[in-house]
Amino acid sequence: MAHFLIQLAYTTEAWAAMVKNPQDRSAAVSGAIQKLGGRIERFWLSFGEYDIVGIVDMPNNVSAAAFAMAIGAGGACKTLRTTPLLSLEDGIDAMKQAATCGYKPAMATAQS
């Protein structure tokens, strides 16, 4: 499973509805996530630019994109950001591959 950081900000209308009728929105989206083959690891309310942050496990980028599209199309969020996450082990593997892939920056090419 791939891990994704979800960050979203609600519209003022969505906040008004939730203040009037407080609810756990993670319960509302869990069915959609499960239908896409994923699961919620955890969601938090937050202060600042985003109102909700969470970690979800999804089978692949396509299922994560489908979830983001469904949430975005719903109209309750003014901002939605989905960030793929790498485990530390995968990040170290990526660093090792980067070191041996043969890429040379423009500055190195100009000095040759």
Side-chain angles (χ1 to χ4, degrees):
M1 286 273 211
H3 306 285
F4 296 87
L5 171 66
I6 305 295
Q7 299 168 285
L8 65 88
Y10 287 120
T11 63
T12 55
E13 296 83 6
W15 269 121
M18 288 187 290
V19 167
K20 186 175 181 178
N21 180 26
Q23 55 191 282
D24 177 357
R25 294 303 299 162
S26 67
V29 300
S30 66
I33 290 171
Q34 290 173 2
K35 194 167 189 173
L36 292 165
R39 72 174 188 85
I40 295 172
E41 193 166 305
R42 187 134 186 218
F43 280 134
W44 297 266
L45 285 169
S46 60
F47 297 105
E49 186 176 353
Y50 298 102
D51 301 317
I52 297 284
V53 295
I55 305 294
V56 297
D57 300 331
M58 300 298 276
N60 51 49
N61 287 342
V62 173
S63 59
F67 175 66
M69 289 174 188
I71 295 299
C77 300
K78 62 182 176 182
T79 306
L80 174 66
R81 172 180 270 174
T82 305
T83 305
L85 301 173
L86 290 175
S87 68
L88 291 177
E89 294 81 11
D90 286 347
I92 291 169
D93 286 345
M95 290 178 223
K96 290 175 183 176
Q97 288 184 34
T100 61
C101 74
Y103 170 75
K104 294 191 182 348
M107 295 178 305
T109 305
Q111 293 173 358
S112 298

